[in-house]
Amino acid sequence: MNRRFLLRTLASLTAAAALTPSLMAQTRPKVEVWKDPDCGCCKDWVSHLEANGFQVSVHDSGNAEARTRLGVPDKLGSCHTAQVGGYALEGHVPARDIKRLLKERPKAVGLAVPGMPVGSPGMDGPEYKGRKDPYDVLLIQANGSSKVYQSYRTS
């Protein structure tokens, strides 16, 4: 009797272990990114997202077209554009703000960090020597306006 229980338990655990990678992939939000193939900061931002649990696919062209298609105003443009969960992402948006966006699900186009602020994810490498410029993450409204979603200030 104990042997049958042990074998059944072992079989169940083996099946569960086999399913774990596919289940984990399903729970990781998928981000699609359009960027310049030679941009190092874009690659670093993608690494930041992957390190924070996102599943990322990258296109080394089409940034401007993606920005237009997703409804991001040119004035908020940056070096890469992405899409996650039906939202647009423009520029060096921190993973924590993307997770918050996906949790709160506001009626909006998405998030943007205009320009390339030093200290934002992807713009925080050793070449910047720890420098952190203040910047805002903006929530892009359907009418093209924006408002501050999160501020990052130096301490």
Side-chain angles (χ1 to χ4, degrees), residues 81-94:
T81 303
Q83 184 174 29
V84 61
Y87 290 103
L89 302 173
E90 185 67 29
H92 295 267
V93 179

Side-chain angles (χ1 to χ4, degrees), residues 95-113:
R96 67 182 262 189
D97 297 317
I98 300 168
K99 289 177 180 179
R100 177 180 158 206
L101 176 78
L102 294 173
K103 182 180 179 185
E104 294 177 354
R105 308 248 5 126
K107 288 187 180 184
V109 171
L111 298 176
V113 174

Side-chain angles (χ1 to χ4, degrees), residues 8 21 26 35 49 63 68 71 80 83 86 88 97 110 113 122 139-140:
R8 260 190 252 147
Q26 290 174 9
K35 68 174 197 62
L49 293 184
N63 180 28
T68 299
H80 55 263
Q83 184 174 29
D97 297 317
V113 174
L139 183 69
I140 307 166

